[in-house]
Amino acid sequence: AQSVTQLGSHVSVSEGALVLLRCNYSSSVPPYLFWYVQYPNQGLQLLLKYTTGATLVKGINGFEAEFKKSETSFHLTKPSAHMSDAAEYFCAVRAGWGGSARQLTFGSGTQLTVLP
Amino acid sequence: GAVVSQHPSRVICKSGTSVKIECRSLDFQATTMFWYRQFPKKSLMLMATSNEGSKATYEQGVEKDKFLINHASLTLSTLTVTSAHPEDSSFYICSAPVPSSGRARVYEQYFGPGTRLTVT
């Protein structure tokens, strides 16, 4: 079975500071990992994904994440936070093989607050 | 990228009535769609998998007779909340998996904008 743990339900950073959102996963199949962002009363938007290949993946809005198999982690970072980055962030892993590959298992989410 | 729409974006209904939420894939065909429920400040809870032309697959603990799902075409899935009660008030989100370009068996989920249901 697959699971995702996001450490820290709330993270606050100052504008211009480094953003680090933590995600650890457990997967019985080679993990495909995703980060999504959700703004209030909206659906989820894909930030970036890792499937295979390069372990450092770059996404939209200046975000990137590094897949570390030995640590079973996929932390999301951004060098300099903007006020517009304030949102809920979800880490997810594909649910399995075959038909389950279409599904995602989500973490509990991290609310990012950016302070002026 | 692929676009998924939901309608309505917000709905308020009286207790005991039924509400239908539509999820459409606008520029692609979706044989499968997922319905999620999200409580305030909580993660997404998968309710059911909607399959075109066949019965939906419900997650454990989700009442099939209360949350009716119909996937009558390759671009439309509907979720009907029957005899709604205040505890059904929530944010409902649908998504559709789309094969990622160039990668076999890698799917990206495209999410609808969500529907805020309030039952009074």
XYZ file of all heavy atoms in Angstrom, chain A residues 24-79:
455
model
N 7.289 12.711 2.873
C 7.858 11.370 2.880
C 6.797 10.392 2.406
O 5.615 10.567 2.683
C 8.369 10.991 4.271
C 9.609 11.748 4.658
O 9.536 12.841 5.207
N 10.762 11.183 4.335
N 7.232 9.362 1.737
C 6.279 8.437 1.144
C 6.642 7.003 1.498
O 7.761 6.694 1.891
C 6.260 8.605 -0.378
C 7.526 8.115 -1.016
C 7.658 6.797 -1.448
C 8.632 8.953 -1.148
C 8.841 6.327 -1.992
C 9.815 8.492 -1.682
C 9.915 7.198 -2.099
O 11.093 6.727 -2.622
N 5.665 6.155 1.313
C 5.854 4.718 1.391
C 5.145 4.117 0.196
O 3.983 4.452 -0.063
C 5.270 4.164 2.696
O 5.294 2.757 2.699
N 5.854 3.280 -0.542
C 5.242 2.724 -1.747
C 5.758 1.322 -2.006
O 6.959 1.073 -1.915
C 5.537 3.623 -2.950
O 4.971 3.085 -4.128
N 4.839 0.439 -2.365
C 5.215 -0.933 -2.687
C 5.562 -1.096 -4.164
O 5.981 -2.169 -4.583
C 4.067 -1.891 -2.320
O 2.893 -1.515 -3.006
N 5.409 -0.043 -4.914
C 5.787 -0.037 -6.333
C 6.712 1.140 -6.550
O 6.763 2.055 -5.726
C 4.534 0.078 -7.236
C 3.589 -1.085 -6.981
C 3.823 1.404 -7.032
N 7.482 1.141 -7.641
C 8.329 2.320 -7.900
C 7.472 3.568 -7.851
O 6.456 3.668 -8.536
C 8.873 2.037 -9.300
C 8.924 0.553 -9.381
C 7.723 0.066 -8.624
N 7.877 4.517 -7.035
C 6.990 5.661 -6.796
C 6.994 6.674 -7.923
O 8.045 7.032 -8.443
C 7.560 6.270 -5.524
C 9.033 5.959 -5.600
C 9.103 4.600 -6.248
N 5.809 7.089 -8.280
C 5.657 8.293 -9.076
C 5.086 9.334 -8.115
O 4.058 9.094 -7.483
C 4.683 8.079 -10.241
C 5.171 7.120 -11.305
C 4.292 6.633 -12.265
C 6.496 6.700 -11.364
C 4.716 5.758 -13.257
C 6.931 5.828 -12.347
C 6.034 5.351 -13.289
O 6.451 4.482 -14.260
N 5.764 10.460 -8.000
C 5.439 11.430 -6.955
C 5.022 12.756 -7.565
O 5.541 13.171 -8.617
C 6.656 11.625 -6.046
C 7.057 10.367 -5.276
C 8.513 10.403 -4.889
C 6.177 10.215 -4.031
N 4.117 13.421 -6.885
C 3.526 14.653 -7.393
C 3.402 15.675 -6.268
O 3.185 15.313 -5.110
C 2.122 14.388 -7.962
C 2.064 13.308 -9.005
C 2.041 11.973 -8.644
C 2.015 13.630 -10.353
C 1.974 10.959 -9.602
C 1.955 12.629 -11.318
C 1.940 11.302 -10.945
N 3.518 16.933 -6.636
C 3.132 18.021 -5.757
C 2.047 18.831 -6.462
O 2.182 19.203 -7.627
C 4.311 18.941 -5.446
C 5.156 18.507 -4.294
C 6.355 17.850 -4.337
C 4.891 18.708 -2.906
N 6.825 17.627 -3.078
C 5.954 18.153 -2.173
C 3.845 19.334 -2.201
C 6.012 18.178 -0.785
C 3.902 19.358 -0.817
C 4.976 18.792 -0.124
N 0.987 19.106 -5.674
C -0.113 19.926 -6.166
C -0.280 21.138 -5.269
O 0.003 21.093 -4.064
C -1.430 19.142 -6.162
C -1.553 18.110 -7.254
C -1.063 16.823 -7.086
C -2.173 18.430 -8.461
C -1.179 15.872 -8.093
C -2.296 17.484 -9.472
C -1.797 16.219 -9.278
O -1.924 15.281 -10.281
N -0.789 22.216 -5.836
C -1.125 23.407 -5.065
C -2.622 23.673 -5.195
O -3.213 23.445 -6.256
C -0.315 24.641 -5.536
C -0.601 24.985 -6.995
C -0.588 25.850 -4.648
N -3.215 24.103 -4.093
C -4.643 24.432 -4.103
C -4.845 25.800 -3.486
O -4.474 26.025 -2.327
C -5.451 23.388 -3.328
C -6.953 23.628 -3.373
C -7.743 22.626 -2.551
O -7.274 22.135 -1.533
N -8.959 22.327 -2.983
N -5.440 26.697 -4.256
C -5.818 28.003 -3.742
C -7.236 27.904 -3.205
O -7.993 27.013 -3.597
C -5.676 29.057 -4.830
C -4.253 29.215 -5.302
C -3.807 28.598 -6.469
C -3.330 29.933 -4.549
C -2.491 28.708 -6.887
C -2.004 30.048 -4.955
C -1.599 29.425 -6.120
O -0.299 29.518 -6.524
N -7.636 28.808 -2.318
C -8.952 28.707 -1.679
C -10.088 28.537 -2.673
O -10.167 29.253 -3.675
C -9.059 30.028 -0.904
C -7.635 30.387 -0.599
C -6.856 29.943 -1.798
N -10.938 27.580 -2.364
C -12.138 27.305 -3.166
C -11.823 27.006 -4.627
O -12.617 27.330 -5.521
C -13.118 28.477 -3.077
C -13.684 28.608 -1.679
O -14.142 27.624 -1.101
N -13.616 29.799 -1.126
N -10.692 26.383 -4.854
C -10.321 25.973 -6.199
C -9.874 24.518 -6.197
O -9.637 23.919 -5.142
C -9.201 26.866 -6.755
C -9.601 28.305 -6.969
C -8.516 29.093 -7.652
O -7.672 28.547 -8.370
N -8.527 30.401 -7.449
N -9.773 23.962 -7.384
C -9.247 22.618 -7.517
C -7.742 22.596 -7.346
O -7.128 23.584 -6.945
N -7.150 21.459 -7.645
C -5.710 21.292 -7.481
C -4.990 21.494 -8.809
O -5.457 21.045 -9.857
C -5.397 19.887 -6.952
C -5.510 19.678 -5.451
C -6.945 19.779 -4.987
C -4.921 18.323 -5.065
N -3.843 22.117 -8.723
C -3.017 22.372 -9.908
C -1.680 21.666 -9.727
O -1.052 21.780 -8.672
C -2.802 23.873 -10.090
C -1.957 24.244 -11.295
C -1.710 25.728 -11.385
O -2.014 26.491 -10.484
N -1.142 26.165 -12.501
N -1.244 20.971 -10.755
C 0.010 20.243 -10.673
C 1.187 21.218 -10.684
O 1.310 22.055 -11.570
C 0.136 19.278 -11.852
C 1.411 18.443 -11.905
C 1.456 17.458 -10.730
C 1.506 17.681 -13.228
N 2.057 21.080 -9.686
C 3.280 21.890 -9.624
C 4.424 21.186 -10.342
O 5.154 21.799 -11.121
C 3.695 22.113 -8.175
C 3.046 23.239 -7.383
C 3.574 23.210 -5.957
C 3.295 24.582 -8.024
N 4.599 19.916 -10.024
C 5.678 19.144 -10.620
C 5.457 17.672 -10.329
O 4.628 17.323 -9.486
C 7.044 19.593 -10.085
C 7.218 19.736 -8.581
C 7.441 18.407 -7.885
C 8.370 20.680 -8.262
N 6.220 16.848 -11.042
C 6.112 15.416 -10.830
C 7.464 14.749 -11.048
O 8.310 15.255 -11.792
C 5.074 14.792 -11.754
C 5.440 14.809 -13.231
C 4.384 14.127 -14.056
C 4.793 14.009 -15.522
N 4.772 15.301 -16.221
N 7.627 13.607 -10.384
C 8.773 12.736 -10.609
C 8.279 11.369 -11.015
O 7.409 10.794 -10.348
C 9.638 12.612 -9.342
C 10.641 11.498 -9.466
C 11.830 11.688 -10.163
C 10.361 10.233 -8.958
C 12.726 10.644 -10.332
C 11.255 9.192 -9.117
C 12.428 9.399 -9.810
O 13.307 8.360 -9.987
N 8.840 10.858 -12.090
C 8.519 9.480 -12.487
C 9.808 8.663 -12.502
O 10.014 7.798 -11.652
C 7.819 9.439 -13.849
O 8.602 10.128 -14.831
C 6.457 10.107 -13.755
N 10.662 8.920 -13.430
C 11.973 8.276 -13.458
C 12.985 9.302 -13.959
O 12.622 10.403 -14.349
C 12.002 7.055 -14.393
O 11.652 7.488 -15.716
C 11.029 5.984 -13.948
N 14.262 8.915 -13.946
C 15.266 9.819 -14.496
C 15.797 10.790 -13.459
O 15.998 10.428 -12.293
N 16.016 12.006 -13.865
C 16.623 13.019 -13.010
C 15.838 13.157 -11.713
O 14.611 13.280 -11.719
C 16.671 14.358 -13.735
N 16.572 13.142 -10.611
C 15.899 13.145 -9.307
C 15.525 14.554 -8.850
O 14.721 14.698 -7.936
C 16.795 12.494 -8.248
O 18.061 13.159 -8.225
C 17.005 11.014 -8.567
N 16.126 15.550 -9.460
C 15.740 16.927 -9.153
C 14.814 17.400 -10.261
O 15.211 17.487 -11.419
C 16.971 17.825 -9.068
C 16.711 19.298 -8.749
C 16.101 19.432 -7.354
C 17.997 20.103 -8.838
N 13.598 17.664 -9.891
C 12.627 18.070 -10.897
C 12.204 19.507 -10.658
O 12.041 19.942 -9.515
C 11.389 17.143 -10.897
C 11.773 15.758 -11.364
C 10.745 17.070 -9.539
N 12.039 20.212 -11.732
C 11.615 21.606 -11.658
C 10.172 21.719 -12.113
O 9.741 21.022 -13.037
C 12.523 22.468 -12.528
C 13.970 22.500 -12.043
C 14.828 23.438 -12.864
C 16.286 23.369 -12.434
N 16.464 23.789 -11.024
N 9.459 22.600 -11.430
C 8.066 22.774 -11.776
C 7.735 24.211 -12.096
O 8.609 25.021 -12.396
N 6.466 24.507 -11.974
C 6.031 25.862 -12.277
C 6.256 26.773 -11.090
O 6.461 26.319 -9.954
C 4.539 25.871 -12.678
C 3.662 25.376 -11.527
C 4.319 25.029 -13.927
C 2.181 25.528 -11.778
N 6.218 28.059 -11.361
C 6.303 29.088 -10.310
C 7.588 29.016 -9.495
O 7.627 29.475 -8.351
C 5.100 28.996 -9.361
C 3.782 29.168 -10.082
O 3.724 29.725 -11.180
N 2.721 28.671 -9.491
N 8.648 28.478 -10.075
C 9.934 28.469 -9.399
C 10.128 27.364 -8.377
O 11.135 27.334 -7.670
N 9.195 26.458 -8.276
C 9.308 25.347 -7.329
C 10.131 24.204 -7.918
O 10.150 23.993 -9.127
C 7.928 24.819 -6.942
C 7.203 25.710 -5.976
C 6.312 26.675 -6.442
C 7.398 25.576 -4.612
C 5.640 27.506 -5.548
C 6.725 26.392 -3.713
C 5.843 27.356 -4.176
N 10.783 23.486 -7.039
C 11.457 22.271 -7.436
C 11.399 21.269 -6.287
O 11.114 21.631 -5.142
C 12.900 22.529 -7.860
C 13.788 23.144 -6.814
C 15.186 23.429 -7.357
O 15.317 23.832 -8.539
O 16.158 23.241 -6.598
N 11.654 20.018 -6.614
C 11.632 18.963 -5.606
C 12.684 17.930 -5.962
O 12.980 17.715 -7.134
C 10.246 18.322 -5.526
N 13.226 17.311 -4.939
C 14.250 16.296 -5.160
C 13.784 14.958 -4.611
O 13.397 14.847 -3.441
C 15.561 16.690 -4.497
C 16.704 15.731 -4.822
C 18.044 16.227 -4.348
O 18.098 17.217 -3.583
O 19.057 15.613 -4.742
N 13.827 13.962 -5.464
C 13.487 12.603 -5.065
C 14.721 11.961 -4.446
O 15.777 11.873 -5.072
C 13.035 11.802 -6.284
C 12.905 10.322 -6.034
C 11.971 9.836 -5.132
C 13.706 9.410 -6.712
C 11.836 8.471 -4.918
C 13.576 8.048 -6.498
C 12.647 7.583 -5.594
N 14.577 11.533 -3.187
C 15.667 10.847 -2.503
C 15.156 9.478 -2.068
O 14.458 9.354 -1.061
C 16.158 11.657 -1.308
C 16.853 12.949 -1.694
C 17.456 13.634 -0.476
C 18.233 14.886 -0.886
N 18.851 15.565 0.281
N 15.553 8.476 -2.838
C 15.050 7.127 -2.575
C 15.499 6.627 -1.209
O 14.724 6.001 -0.479
C 15.534 6.180 -3.670
C 14.981 4.775 -3.566
C 15.436 3.924 -4.731
C 14.894 2.504 -4.628
N 15.335 1.663 -5.781
N 16.742 6.881 -0.852
C 17.271 6.375 0.415
C 16.541 6.963 1.611
O 16.462 6.337 2.667
C 18.763 6.671 0.518
O 18.990 8.072 0.495
N 16.008 8.150 1.434
C 15.286 8.803 2.517
C 13.767 8.733 2.318
O 13.040 9.248 3.161
C 15.716 10.275 2.611
C 17.194 10.467 2.908
C 17.609 11.927 2.944
O 16.721 12.806 2.877
O 18.835 12.176 3.029
N 13.354 8.110 1.262
C 11.928 8.053 0.860
C 11.290 9.424 1.001
O 10.222 9.592 1.616
C 11.139 6.992 1.650
O 11.175 7.311 3.046
C 11.688 5.608 1.425
N 11.963 10.417 0.432
C 11.463 11.785 0.568
C 11.315 12.452 -0.793
O 11.949 12.054 -1.774
C 12.401 12.610 1.448
O 13.638 12.830 0.792
N 10.488 13.464 -0.805
C 10.250 14.251 -2.027
C 9.867 15.656 -1.561
O 8.751 16.115 -1.738
C 9.147 13.601 -2.859
C 8.984 14.178 -4.248
C 10.045 14.216 -5.138
C 7.748 14.662 -4.675
C 9.904 14.725 -6.418
C 7.585 15.179 -5.960
C 8.665 15.215 -6.824
N 10.820 16.347 -0.966
C 10.556 17.664 -0.388
C 10.464 18.734 -1.473
O 11.223 18.724 -2.443
C 11.658 18.039 0.600
C 11.818 17.068 1.729
N 10.773 16.316 2.222
C 12.905 16.731 2.461
C 11.204 15.560 3.215
N 12.505 15.778 3.384
N 9.583 19.672 -1.250
C 9.352 20.764 -2.195
C 10.065 22.013 -1.705
O 9.974 22.354 -0.519
C 7.845 21.039 -2.300
C 7.401 22.144 -3.263
C 7.599 21.700 -4.707
C 5.943 22.505 -3.016
N 10.764 22.693 -2.598
C 11.478 23.902 -2.209
C 11.272 25.012 -3.226
O 10.939 24.777 -4.395
C 12.995 23.645 -2.075
O 13.508 23.210 -3.341
C 13.293 22.608 -1.010
N 11.480 26.224 -2.732
C 11.507 27.400 -3.596
C 12.457 28.386 -2.930
O 12.344 28.640 -1.735
C 10.123 28.017 -3.750
C 10.102 29.226 -4.677
C 8.694 29.731 -4.926
C 8.731 30.940 -5.877
N 7.372 31.437 -6.204
N 13.422 28.915 -3.675
C 14.459 29.745 -3.042
C 13.921 31.007 -2.375
O 14.424 31.412 -1.330
C 15.376 30.103 -4.221
C 15.110 29.083 -5.261
C 13.674 28.706 -5.120
